[in-house]
Amino acid sequence: MEEFPLSAPLSFQCDGAQRFCGAVCGALDCLQALLAHLPPDRAGIRIRGIDGLRPYLAGKGPVGSIAAAILGPRTRAVRAILFDKTADTNWSLAWHQDRTICVRRKIEVDGFGPWTTKGGMQHVAPPFALLAHMVTLRVHLDPVGPDNAPLLIAPGSYRRGKVPTKLVGEVVRQCGVRACLAEAGDVWLYATPILHASEAASNPVHRRVLQVDFAADDLPGGLEWLGV
């Protein structure tokens, strides 16, 4: 499998992913405190209704402004998940594309489906073109080294459109693999449809990541983003 040189930083325009070192260092204590009440023994917790988070995710906030630089001033946070990988919740995730969004209620609209409920929230697979106009940010509350299951991405794979499951391995081989290492306070930006994966940590320690999806488009047919 092709490997990209470690000395070459990724850029969003070329690769669909980019690291923003120290982007939330000044807000790290506040972000950790806002999320401290969430249970530590669950692999992923879907978040909504934490009012204190909203200024950070707003278009002029330290997280939201990164998304707004790509999507424009109408950018808004539309879904948030806290991932907390520890020795007790040390999962792995195969290569895939994120293909669902979270909405307020189920309304049948052409091109949207199938429907699922996750964390008590209504999710649906939208047309791929909508996902292609979204970005995802991962806010690192703890450092992530090479032995603590960093996110793996296939640079440029978001340009391949909706990749059939049987072709995922071949597209990853063609694009190569990069590990998204991070220090606490870093933010990784990536195109929402990029192929990504996560291995089980070989040396698992507390690894909290707040993952937030952003969009600027309205939804059709009366559908509404649930939001954060």
Side-chain angles (χ1 to χ4, degrees):
M1 181 177 296
E2 180 183 358
E3 294 289 345
F4 284 71
L6 293 178
S7 59
L10 297 172
S11 74
F12 184 80
Q13 296 301 326
C14 293
D15 306 301
Q18 186 169 334
R19 180 181 180 180
F20 292 80
C21 297
V24 297
C25 277
L28 197 55
D29 289 345
C30 292
L31 289 170
Q32 290 172 341
L34 285 167
L35 301 170
H37 68 285
L38 298 174
D41 56 349
R42 291 169 56 187
I45 301 173
R46 295 170 193 275
I47 296 171
R48 186 169 185 265
I50 302 178
D51 291 341
L53 274 181
R54 290 175 181 148
Y56 299 98
L57 307 183
K60 294 185 178 180
V63 179
S65 61
I66 297 173
I70 303 297
L71 301 178
R74 298 186 70 246
T75 300
R76 62 203 133 165
V78 295
R79 178 171 59 181
I81 306 173
L82 180 68
F83 293 110
D84 190 1
K85 189 172 286 191
T86 66
D88 294 327
T89 55
N90 188 19
W91 74 96
S92 63
L93 197 60
W95 286 98
H96 68 287
Q97 293 173 301
D98 289 339
R99 293 186 180 173
T100 63
I101 61 172
C102 192
V103 298
R104 287 187 179 276
R105 63 186 183 278
K106 182 176 180 179
I107 300 175
E108 296 293 349
V109 176
D110 286 348
F112 285 75
W115 293 81
T116 55
T117 301
K118 303 175 184 179
M121 303 176 191
Q122 191 70 65
H123 286 68
V124 64
F128 191 83
L130 188 146
L131 297 172
H133 288 95
M134 294 174 62
V135 297
T136 299
L137 273 72
R138 287 171 63 89
V139 182
H140 289 270
L141 307 182
D142 301 295
V144 181
D147 60 351
N148 197 24
L151 187 74
L152 304 175
I153 63 165
S157 58
Y158 69 102
R159 295 194 184 96
R160 303 295 185 96
K162 186 176 181 180
V163 180
T165 301
K166 65 182 181 180
L167 296 181
V168 165
E170 176 60 19
V171 172
V172 170
R173 187 192 67 77
Q174 293 172 1
C175 292
V177 175
R178 284 289 293 270
C180 297
L181 308 181
E183 298 295 334
D186 289 355
V187 174
W188 270 95
L189 161 73
Y190 65 92
T192 297
I194 202 167
L195 281 166
H196 59 285
S198 180
E199 298 175 345
S202 58
N203 182 29
V205 295
H206 213 27
R207 193 217 70 170
R208 293 164 297 173
V209 179
L210 175 63
Q211 179 172 299
V212 188
D213 293 336
F214 288 85
D217 295 336
D218 292 327
L219 298 175
L223 289 170
E224 297 177 86
W225 299 101
L226 180 61
V228 178

